[in-house]
Amino acid sequence: MEKPSYHLESSFDAEWHFFKSISEQKMIEKAVIFTPIDKENGIYELIFGDLENGIVNVKNVSHNQDTVRVLTTVIKTVYLFFERNPQKTVIFMGSSTARNRLYRGLISKLVDEAIDYFEVLGTNSDGLDEVFVKNKDYFAFKIKLKQ
Amino acid sequence: MKKIGKVPDFDHSDITFIADLKSRQITLGNEAQKKHNELVEFVKRTKKLNPKVELTEV
């Protein structure tokens, strides 16, 4: 991962991350939170959004002209999470069509850059997993380290 | 050569680990909470559809 990313502030267990998206126009505080949703099976949800007065807002579309840098930074949090939690599975879904596109872009980048390392799945609305196919719509996405 | 079960090498120099980061007061906004609840229910409802493949030594 050699593309520019933003400086991260991270918790030691790599479950919480904060960074600032900065352009000439504005500065937006971002949060990436990995929160357990099925502890028995080690499944964590990735929640990504703007941090506004302590509230994580996943609905905003920032238009801060730095999508690639933001995505690269989020991918770095994914790497870091798996570095600290190699047995876990990360699941996430978009909060809107725009956010789903963002997540699909995130996954596509990850597939291009690190498919040898990660198992990337798309989950349809019936809950069935398949190997992620670019540009295909899914209800949710799952990532885990190849073992 | 890649190492099985490891993440790719990446630059850690722009990461600051903060011991009490999780003591920050943050809450999920309405939409995030709604999606979180939806995903929890979804995972609960569908977890049996994708059973883990158990490898058996022969």
Side-chain angles (χ1 to χ4, degrees):
Chain A
M1 185 187 302
E2 292 165 5
K3 297 189 184 86
S5 59
Y6 285 112
H7 176 262
L8 279 171
E9 290 185 337
S10 302
S11 62
F12 278 106
D13 60 9
E15 290 183 6
W16 287 25
H17 310 268
F18 301 107
F19 66 95
K20 293 179 175 71
S21 157
I22 301 164
S23 72
E24 288 181 4
Q25 287 74 39
K26 54 189 170 183
M27 187 277 289
I28 304 165
E29 193 167 10
K30 303 277 188 184
V32 183
I33 307 292
F34 295 86
T35 188
I37 61 170
D38 178 359
K39 284 192 173 175
E40 184 191 350
N41 291 298
I43 300 175
Y44 281 65
E45 179 186 2
L46 185 163
I47 298 170
F48 165 59
D50 294 356
L51 192 62
E52 299 168 327
N53 300 316
I55 297 171
V56 181
N57 185 338
V58 297
K59 204 71 179 174
N60 284 6
V61 181
S62 309
H63 298 300
N64 211 19
Q65 312 299 322
D66 61 349
T67 305
V68 171
R69 191 167 183 177
V70 166
L71 283 182
T72 303
T73 309
V74 176
I75 288 174
K76 185 173 266 194
T77 70
V78 173
Y79 283 14
L80 200 51
F81 178 79
F82 280 113
E83 189 174 73
R84 301 287 167 117
N85 305 278
Q87 304 298 326
K88 308 297 186 196
T89 296
V90 170
I91 186 170
F92 49 96
M93 62 192 287
S95 58
S96 64
T97 306
R99 191 47 60 102
N100 244 341
R101 272 202 304 273
L102 185 74
Y103 281 164
R104 208 164 62 189
L106 178 89
I107 289 281
S108 296
K109 279 170 66 71
L110 199 66
V111 164
D112 286 342
E113 291 176 10
I115 191 60
D116 286 345
Y117 296 86
F118 295 102
E119 193 175 334
V120 182
L121 304 171
T123 305
N124 69 21
S125 54
D126 293 326
L128 290 171
D129 295 339
E130 68 174 29
V131 175
F132 173 78
V133 177
K134 282 185 183 180
N135 299 318
K136 184 171 176 179
D137 287 328
Y138 292 105
F139 180 79
F141 308 95
K142 287 179 187 166
I143 304 173
K144 49 189 165 185
L145 269 182
K146 283 187 174 173
Q147 301 294 330
Chain B
M1 179 187 290
K2 87 183 184 75
K3 297 173 187 164
I4 298 292
K6 301 278 187 188
V7 299
D9 291 334
F10 65 100
D11 181 14
H12 291 66
S13 64
D14 58 353
I15 302 169
T16 303
F17 289 100
I18 298 177
D20 61 350
L21 192 78
K22 290 173 86 173
S23 66
R24 281 181 71 170
Q25 293 294 313
I26 65 163
T27 53
L28 298 182
N30 289 341
E31 199 61 35
Q33 189 63 57
K34 191 175 133 195
K35 285 289 169 189
H36 172 71
N37 295 344
E38 191 180 343
L39 203 50
V40 168
E41 281 306 309
F42 179 75
V43 167
K44 201 184 294 180
R45 181 164 49 83
T46 62
K47 69 198 303 184
K48 288 183 181 149
L49 292 176
N50 298 294
K52 288 177 186 166
V53 177
E54 300 291 344
L55 297 176
T56 308
E57 197 173 328
V58 292

